[in-house]
């Protein structure tokens, strides 16, 4: 039990959330390893420890490879639009054996009871749906992920790399590698997290806010009122 718990802690909390293909394989293999020790008296406990160590090292190597776009798409797949531009992608529905009854049930789980309410639906890599309602704000785009520009998302915004670099320089970021992630929303502007976890927001008016500064202002207001 301690070995399995340690393995889950070391490989990340995703093991306990929605399962990815890699998480599913880990679950099966861990079950086989632990089961062999419990039900086979001749198997020594050190065999389990060695096997888990080897599997842990393999996991580390795979997770390093997942930082490359090619391997990430190969193992996790890609998010796909089921509904977009007033059209349902029937190929995705058939590929995932998704019937309309199942699709509507997913919508009801999000308190949507009519397709008239839906603007776009994204089928995520973990099998969940991201639903955008009509007249319910604007879509956000992940322009930078782990220090790299997400070309597909940037293209969706209708802007180019020069536009992105210019806006980032205005916020004090000279290198893309300094940024852990950068989200852009047409109505709210940029939401940026650097490699140290610091958050900075820039709204459409050009005003820049750091989360820490905003929190401090709120605290000061509370003290003043008291």
């Amino acid at each position: 039990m301690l070995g399995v718990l340690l393995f889950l802690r070391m490989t990340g909390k995703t093991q306990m959330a929605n399962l990815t293909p890699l998480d599913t394989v880990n679950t099966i293999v861990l079950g086989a390893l632990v089961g062999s020790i419990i039900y086979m008296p001749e198997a020594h406990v050190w065999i389990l420890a060695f096997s888990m160590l080897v599997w842990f090292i393999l996991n580390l190597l795979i997770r390093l490879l997942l930082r490359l776009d090619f391997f990430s798409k190969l193992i996790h797949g890609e998010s796909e639009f089921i509904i977009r531009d007033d059209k349902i992608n029937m190929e995705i529905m058939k590929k995932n054996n998704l019937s309309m009854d199942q699709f509507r049930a997913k919508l009801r789980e999000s308190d949507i009871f009519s397709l008239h309410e839906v603007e776009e639906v994204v089928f995520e890599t973990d099998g969940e749906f991201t639903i955008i309602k009509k007249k319910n704000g604007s879509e956000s785009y992940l322009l930078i992920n782990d220090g790299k520009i997400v070309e597909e998302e940037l293209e969706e915004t209708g802007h180019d790399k020069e536009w992105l670099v210019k806006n980032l320089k205005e916020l004090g970021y000279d290198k893309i590698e300094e940024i852990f992630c950068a989200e852009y929303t047409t109505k709210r502007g940029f939401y940026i997290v650097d490699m140290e976890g610091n958050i900075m927001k820039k709204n459409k008016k050009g005003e820049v806010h750091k989360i820490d500064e905003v929190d401090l202002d709120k605290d000061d207001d509370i003290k003043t009122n008291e």
Side-chain angles (χ1 to χ4, degrees):
M1 183 183 294
L2 291 176
V4 174
L5 290 174
L6 179 62
F7 180 87
L8 292 175
R9 289 289 297 166
M10 296 296 291
T11 53
K13 293 182 179 179
T14 57
Q15 299 282 341
M16 296 168 280
N18 293 322
L19 294 180
T20 66
L22 180 59
D23 297 335
T24 303
V25 173
N26 278 329
T27 302
I28 296 172
V29 172
L30 284 176
L33 291 176
V34 176
S36 64
I37 296 298
I38 295 176
Y39 299 110
M40 297 175 61
E42 64 274 12
H44 199 278
V45 67
W46 293 110
I47 297 177
L48 172 62
F50 177 74
S51 300
M52 291 188 68
L53 176 62
V54 172
W55 191 248
F56 173 70
I57 294 174
L58 284 173
N59 265 268
L60 287 181
L61 293 175
I62 292 173
R63 291 177 188 276
L64 287 174
L65 289 174
L66 287 176
R67 295 183 180 181
L68 302 175
D69 291 338
F70 173 78
F71 286 100
S72 179
K73 292 178 181 178
L74 183 65
I75 295 178
H76 288 157
E78 296 182 87
S79 298
E80 300 172 302
F81 281 93
I82 295 180
I83 295 182
R84 194 178 195 186
D85 298 330
D86 295 324
K87 185 177 181 180
I88 294 181
N89 193 324
M90 300 305 297
E91 292 183 4
I92 296 176
M93 297 279 286
K94 293 177 181 178
K95 182 176 69 174
N96 294 282
N97 296 317
L98 185 63
S99 67
M100 185 52 69
D101 288 340
Q102 293 173 316
F103 182 60
R104 284 171 54 82
K106 285 289 186 179
L107 295 180
R108 289 193 293 271
E109 290 177 4
S110 301
D111 295 326
I112 297 176
F113 299 94
S114 172
L115 291 171
H116 286 289
E117 303 176 38
V118 178
E119 180 71 27
E120 293 180 346
V121 177
V122 183
F123 196 19
E124 304 292 357
T125 56
D126 61 358
E128 294 295 324
F129 289 119
T130 297
I131 303 168
I132 302 172
K133 296 182 180 180
K134 290 184 177 179
K135 298 179 181 179
N136 187 32
S138 56
E139 185 178 356
S140 62
Y141 304 90
L142 183 64
L143 302 185
I144 296 178
N145 183 25
D146 198 16
K148 297 178 182 178
I149 296 177
V150 184
E151 300 289 348
E152 298 85 355
E153 295 279 319
L154 181 59
E155 185 178 346
E156 290 288 335
T157 66
H159 297 289
D160 55 17
K161 185 177 178 180
E162 293 181 2
W163 171 86
L164 177 60
V165 171
K166 178 183 177 182
N167 277 271
L168 293 177
K169 284 187 176 180
E170 291 178 359
L171 294 174
Y173 298 99
D174 295 324
K175 297 181 180 179
I176 301 295
E177 293 78 13
E178 298 175 356
I179 301 173
F180 177 70
C181 71
E183 181 187 77
Y184 176 74
T185 307
T186 54
K187 291 185 178 180
R188 295 185 177 182
F190 284 93
Y191 185 100
I192 299 173
V193 182
D194 64 21
M195 287 299 182
E196 296 180 356
N198 300 312
I199 299 174
M200 180 179 289
K201 296 190 291 185
K202 176 184 178 184
N203 59 29
K204 291 294 288 182
K205 296 179 181 179
E207 299 171 345
V208 179
H209 301 283
K210 286 186 177 180
I211 295 300
D212 293 339
E213 294 176 355
V214 174
D215 291 340
L216 287 174
D217 291 341
K218 290 180 179 178
D219 291 340
D220 290 340
D221 291 340
I222 293 172
K223 291 178 181 177
T224 303
N225 293 332
E226 291 175 351

